[in-house]
Amino acid sequence: MATEPKHHGLHPLGKLFRFLLVGIPAFLIAIPLNLLLVETLGWPKPAAYALVQVVQVGINFFACILFVFRRDTSRNLLSQFLLFVSGILAARILDWGLYSLLVKLVPFHYILLQLFNAGLFSVAKFVFARRVLEGVGRQR
């Protein structure tokens, strides 16, 4: 008989912590990717950041399933992926809009603004991801 991974019984705050932790690898890819696109390839900062966000969302979906949430297996994986991507990308569009505004208005380095936005939008994305992957009525 297969046993459930330990993370499935975590308290929501434990899952939030784990959610933030599993986002680190994608984030660590995102920073050098952003630097490469802007500094080396000369992309406009908002366009580079948009591509960076798409890459992060794909990586994070699978990390969440493997390490954070008990996936509602009554729902099709592809439909969960598409819902996850659409919702997270909607949050990322808001993130991107704020980032684009801040890089024009605030005299901070664009990577610092990237870090600021990551923290700002993390909790909302956690709540959404939990609903999509675990199901609306699940309390764990």
Side-chain angles (χ1 to χ4, degrees):
M1 180 170 161
T3 60
E4 286 186 3
K6 279 186 146 196
H7 67 271
H8 288 169
L10 284 177
H11 184 275
L13 286 177
K15 286 186 181 188
L16 173 60
F17 179 72
R18 194 177 286 253
F19 177 80
L20 295 172
L21 267 174
V22 302
I24 291 172
F27 189 73
L28 291 175
I29 291 168
I31 290 175
L33 179 58
N34 200 8
L35 286 166
L36 171 76
L37 294 172
V38 172
E39 302 294 332
T40 305
L41 301 178
W43 282 36
K45 292 172 189 154
Y49 194 57
L51 178 61
V52 164
Q53 290 183 352
V54 170
V55 170
Q56 281 184 277
V57 171
I59 294 169
N60 287 337
F61 174 78
F62 294 102
C64 284
I65 286 177
L66 290 171
F67 302 112
V68 182
F69 300 113
R70 176 185 298 166
R71 189 175 84 75
D72 179 359
T73 57
S74 70
R75 297 184 62 205
N76 179 287
L77 180 65
L78 179 59
S79 69
Q80 282 182 315
F81 177 76
L82 294 174
L83 184 58
F84 179 89
V85 168
S86 64
I88 297 296
L89 285 177
R92 296 273 183 171
I93 288 169
L94 294 173
D95 176 351
W96 176 84
L98 178 60
Y99 173 86
S100 298
L101 183 66
L102 290 175
V103 294
K104 291 180 181 182
L105 299 177
V106 181
F108 295 116
H109 194 273
Y110 65 95
I111 296 296
L112 288 176
L113 297 173
Q114 182 179 358
L115 292 168
F116 170 77
N117 272 18
L120 184 65
F121 285 90
S122 290
V123 173
K125 290 186 293 187
F126 167 77
V127 170
F128 175 78
R130 184 171 180 224
R131 273 190 180 234
V132 168
L133 297 175
E134 289 191 338
V136 174
R138 207 168 285 237
Q139 296 296 316
R140 286 187 253 194

